[in-house]
Amino acid sequence: MSVRVGLIGHPLGHSISPHFQQAAFDAIGLDARYEAWDLPPEEVEEFIRGLRTPDALGANVTIPYKEAALRYVDRLHETARFVGAINTIVNEGGHLAGFNTDVAGFQAALKDVGFDARGVNAVVWGAGGAARAVAWALVWRKATSITIVNRTAVRAARLRHDVSSTLTGGDAGGVRLRASGADDPAAIGALQVCDLVVHCTPVGMHGSDEPDATPFPVDALNPRALVVDLVANPLQTPLTREAAAAGHRVIGGLPMLVHQGAASFELWTRRVPPMAVMTAAARRAMAEVS
Ligand code: NAP
């Protein structure tokens, strides 16, 4: 029996997930089709309900449904419950399980370059779904401090509150958590002393409102800071280009994208993901769409 799996989101635009996931299924010889499921909000619940049939492996979920989809599955993996968003649904014999593989994807992207976030001062720039996953990954890795900065300050404060109150009712298990608006001087102050900054907004993304902008002034950064930009398209963003030119170590969005997809693939198939195949297919797809 041919099985189906796909990416739920809206708009899907030039998502490269279908390319590298299909390449992975083909590489292990599984008769599966990975499809792009671009759905309007009113169809998402019913569509997810339909993933309980035997021919469905599950789905990936992306913007803007990562939080809404959480309500439509039968059980949540612990990581997804903490983060408050899912990016992967697995059909377990008619019951749907929700996972968040963005956390593992981010952790793996850091590991690739040998960066250990234990004990670091980090800035998470953004407060949406991706920032949630990154903030939790840093809490679990025992960063010393995490400053969440967002255009809309109240959303940064909400994420800070959600993380700290979920843990020990205040101190997030020993991690110092702060929140500020992007135009608050405290945001620049945090950049000046950070060891790691993770950019989690669409600024600099192909097709976004601000494809040529950096989210913050690169010259404000601690010269030793590792710069991670979650934007995967283009491969080199204004932020990674400027930061690399200024001598920073940089990581673009592609490694995390492939790692989170590989973790989803492993959940659906219980097979070791063919990482080299997936990475090569992602790079080919990126060259075609950008
Ligand atoms: P989201 O939940 O919609 O959150 C968007 C975030 O970006 C919010 O903090 C929002 O701030 C901010 N933002 C949006 N437009 C902005 C602008 N023009 N200027 C400043 N801030 C702006 O989206 P998400 O899922 O977190 O995704 C965020 C980015 O991460 C996207 O570029 C996405 O492609 C990328 N991402 C990459 C990976 C990967 O594997 N590489 C995984 C997940 C996400 P407000 O609260 O002020 O609106």
Side-chain angles (χ1 to χ4, degrees):
M1 176 179 62
S2 176
V3 289
R4 64 195 171 99
V5 58
L7 176 63
I8 297 170
H10 182 71
L12 287 182
H14 296 300
S15 171
I16 64 164
S17 292
H19 298 269
F20 70 77
Q21 292 287 7
Q22 190 62 55
F25 284 114
D26 295 346
I28 66 162
L30 190 72
D31 186 7
R33 287 188 322 280
Y34 189 101
E35 300 172 348
W37 293 325
D38 193 333
L39 301 173
E42 63 276 13
E43 289 178 20
V44 172
E45 182 174 4
E46 186 63 25
F47 189 89
I48 291 178
R49 199 190 312 274
L51 294 175
R52 292 181 174 83
T53 56
D55 69 327
L57 287 183
N60 278 134
V61 184
T62 189
I63 299 175
Y65 301 132
K66 285 184 182 181
E67 285 160 63
L70 192 123
R71 298 194 295 275
Y72 308 142
V73 296
D74 304 307
R75 88 172 172 91
L76 282 178
H77 184 258
E78 195 183 21
T79 304
R81 201 167 49 242
F82 275 103
V83 174
I86 61 173
N87 73 336
T88 306
I89 298 173
V90 180
N91 180 16
E92 298 175 334
H95 284 83
L96 299 183
F99 296 83
N100 190 308
T101 67
D102 281 338
V103 173
F106 173 68
Q107 290 167 331
L110 289 189
K111 196 168 173 207
D112 279 350
V113 299
F115 185 87
D116 187 354
R118 182 185 291 272
V120 304
N121 295 306
V123 173
V124 176
W125 198 274
R132 283 185 169 267
V134 167
W136 275 106
L138 293 171
V139 165
W140 283 319
R141 194 60 201 132
K142 299 203 181 306
T144 291
S145 75
I146 304 171
T147 304
I148 301 157
V149 180
N150 197 42
R151 176 178 65 178
T152 309
V154 67
R155 199 170 175 194
R158 197 180 318 134
L159 173 53
R160 192 201 72 81
H161 172 266
D162 288 352
V163 174
S164 59
S165 62
T166 307
L167 284 173
T168 56
D171 76 345
V175 182
R176 279 201 306 280
L177 286 169
R178 301 187 189 92
S180 89
D183 49 9
D184 186 325
I188 297 297
L191 291 175
Q192 286 167 341
V193 297
C194 73
D195 308 295
L196 167 70
V197 58
V198 189
H199 172 232
C200 310
T201 87
V203 172
M205 190 169 82
H206 182 69
S208 73
D209 297 343
E210 296 170 274
D212 302 320
T214 62
F216 47 76
V218 170
D219 60 6
L221 276 170
N222 173 2
R224 289 182 303 284
L226 172 69
V227 177
V228 182
D229 194 345
L230 296 199
V231 171
N233 185 8
L235 285 174
Q236 273 220 0
T237 62
L239 173 60
T240 58
R241 198 177 311 112
E242 269 193 40
H248 292 274
R249 276 203 296 163
V250 300
I251 306 178
L254 196 70
M256 171 170 164
L257 187 66
V258 176
H259 279 299
Q260 60 80 33
S264 303
F265 181 90
E266 190 166 357
L267 289 167
W268 297 317
T269 62
R270 300 182 186 192
R271 300 274 296 272
V272 176
M275 280 304 295
V277 169
M278 296 177 92
T279 303
R283 287 190 172 278
R284 270 197 311 278
M286 197 65 84
E288 279 164 28
V289 302
S290 51

